[in-house]
Amino acid sequence: MSGPCYLGLVTVKALAAAGDDRVIASTSGGQLYSYKIDGVGDWTRAALKSDGWSAVGSLSSPGGGLYYGRTNGGMYWYHDVDPTDGDGSDIAYHPSDPVDASGWTQSLLSAYANNCAYVPPAPSATTGEKIAKVADAQVGKGFNDFDFHHPGAWCAEFVRYAWANVGARTSGVTPEAGSLYPYGQNNGTLHSTPKVGDAVSNP
């Protein structure tokens, strides 16, 4: 799109189709709007963002809530969880993960729609899940290959071993189980509902 476009007395800087009967538009003032086409000469506008979009000079979307914005040669992407709700609070920004931060200088850009849908990355394992995996790997082993203070490892030594293998803090954990309670007190991790990866101890 070249030159200003006026939609409902709003000067649009960039415009893109975002799905069936739906258009998104950015403005020089930094707003992002969504337009739902209700019929001939009939449409509904929703303000998705009140600022932050002034640098977007070109917009494109393949649908599925995926928006691509070009900003001075860089191409960035955004995900609208529900592109039909007229609410921009669920738009996720990905400024640290651009398509490319430079080189996008084309005069005209478009997106090819082919059953597009945002696929979130698989969540990484929590620290507790990593601890459990380390512990599970030692089931049935006698710990003869490890330099524990006590043969076979006392329970707190095993806790320290599992925690240390995932980078968790172990300072204050000794071979004695009694060290776990003050550890929780001193580190603000003491609670009454155990979760995966926790050590269970009595005071």
Side-chain angles (χ1 to χ4, degrees):
M1 184 189 84
S2 61
C5 176
Y6 300 92
L7 283 177
L9 301 180
V10 172
T11 305
V12 171
K13 183 177 181 181
L15 188 68
D20 290 343
D21 297 324
R22 194 163 296 272
V23 175
I24 55 170
S26 63
T27 72
S28 296
Q31 297 85 12
L32 180 69
Y33 291 101
S34 171
Y35 294 87
K36 181 179 180 296
I37 311 304
D38 299 313
V40 178
D42 186 16
W43 46 267
T44 304
R45 183 180 69 211
L48 300 181
K49 294 292 180 181
S50 60
D51 56 41
W53 288 74
S54 59
V56 176
S58 177
L59 276 172
S60 58
S61 172
L66 292 170
Y67 307 148
Y68 295 91
R70 183 178 63 190
T71 61
N72 193 29
M75 179 66 75
Y76 296 86
W77 68 287
Y78 313 85
H79 172 228
D80 192 340
V81 174
D82 185 354
T84 66
D85 62 4
D87 180 6
S89 64
D90 58 351
I91 294 178
Y93 292 83
H94 298 271
S96 61
D97 182 26
V99 176
D100 201 326
S102 63
W104 289 82
T105 58
Q106 297 85 349
S107 300
L108 184 63
L109 293 170
S110 64
Y112 172 67
N114 184 19
N115 296 323
C116 288
Y118 173 70
V119 179
S124 58
T126 65
T127 299
E129 290 168 341
K130 292 177 182 177
I131 291 170
K133 186 175 181 180
V134 170
D136 286 343
Q138 302 307 324
V139 172
K141 296 184 179 180
F143 302 105
N144 295 325
D145 296 332
F146 306 108
D147 186 21
F148 288 116
H149 183 73
H150 296 281
W154 284 9
C155 57
E157 282 193 291
F158 181 72
V159 167
R160 186 173 60 189
Y161 163 79
W163 286 359
N165 267 268
V166 301
R169 179 183 173 89
T170 60
S171 178
V173 178
T174 72
E176 290 77 25
S179 67
L180 295 171
Y181 191 85
Y183 170 92
Q185 290 178 312
N186 296 333
N187 289 277
T189 58
L190 188 65
H191 57 90
S192 59
T193 307
K195 299 178 182 178
V196 173
D198 286 351
V200 180
S201 174
N202 289 321

